[in-house]
């Protein structure tokens, strides 16, 4: 029997992820108190979803040629950070997964911080369009 500490099983048991629509999933949510736990749950949920996972990595170099801008922190440490309001260094997505917008991109179009969106496609680079 699953414990209360297993929110994925508690909220999503009995759902066939190969046929469920994102619209049916968007009414369900698991709240966490820190980003690390949130990423654990997100990555576990992606395993249940059909399709190929696309991994997006943050830019991991300083663009300035000024040596004073160079940081003295180890690269592994910087990649492990998950600051509030920023995506992780490595963001894993699948087509049809639900994401939450972290910035006010276009408030007049309803694209505000906290808006739930569904990933319609994946590509190597950002296309400049928001669907």
């Amino acid at each position: 029997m699953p414990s209360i500490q297993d929110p994925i099983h508690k909220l999503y048991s009995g759902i066939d992820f190969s046929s469920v629509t994102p619209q049916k999933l968007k009414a369900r949510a698991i709240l966490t108190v820190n980003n690390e736990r949130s990423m654990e749950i997100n990555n576990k949920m992606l395993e249940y979803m059909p399709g190929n996972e696309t991994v997006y990595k943050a830019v991991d170099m300083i663009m300035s040629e000024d040596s004073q801008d160079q940081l003295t922190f180890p690269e592994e440490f910087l990649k492990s950070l998950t600051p509030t309001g920023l995506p992780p260094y490595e963001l894993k997505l699948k087509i049809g997964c639900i994401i939450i917008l972290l910035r006010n991109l276009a408030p007049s179009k309803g694209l505000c911080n906290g808006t739930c969106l569904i990933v319609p496609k994946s590509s190597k680079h950002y296309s400049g369009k928001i669907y």
Side-chain angles (χ1 to χ4, degrees):
M1 180 163 185
S3 73
I4 193 113
Q5 298 298 320
D6 186 3
I8 295 171
H9 182 64
K10 190 82 170 160
L11 192 59
Y12 296 102
S13 64
I15 290 180
D16 179 11
F17 283 92
S18 63
S19 64
V20 71
T21 63
Q23 287 76 16
K24 289 183 182 178
L25 291 177
K26 71 180 182 181
R28 301 169 187 238
I30 298 172
L31 301 177
T32 64
V33 295
N34 61 40
N35 290 343
E36 290 82 15
R37 182 70 174 135
S38 174
M39 291 310 300
E40 281 178 36
I41 292 170
N42 288 343
N43 290 333
K44 189 68 170 171
M45 289 299 301
L46 279 178
E47 291 175 15
Y48 291 114
M49 295 185 71
N52 295 326
E53 181 178 275
T54 304
V55 178
Y56 297 95
K57 293 185 178 183
V59 175
D60 61 357
M61 62 185 202
I62 297 174
M63 304 305 286
S64 172
E65 294 179 14
D66 185 0
S67 63
Q68 291 180 354
D69 288 341
Q70 300 296 320
L71 299 176
T72 58
F73 298 103
E75 187 175 324
E76 294 78 24
F77 169 72
L78 295 174
K79 290 178 181 179
S80 72
L81 298 176
T82 56
T84 302
L86 293 176
Y89 170 75
E90 206 174 76
L91 181 62
K92 299 174 184 179
L93 298 174
K94 286 186 178 183
I95 294 173
C97 74
I98 298 167
I99 59 174
I100 296 179
L101 194 59
L102 297 176
R103 297 280 183 260
N104 291 331
L105 293 181
S108 63
K109 294 180 181 180
L111 295 174
C112 302
N113 181 21
T115 303
C116 288
L117 302 168
I118 298 170
V119 175
K121 67 178 186 173
S122 65
S123 62
K124 189 174 181 179
H125 301 285
Y126 171 63
S127 68
K129 294 182 181 179
I130 298 173
Y131 300 94

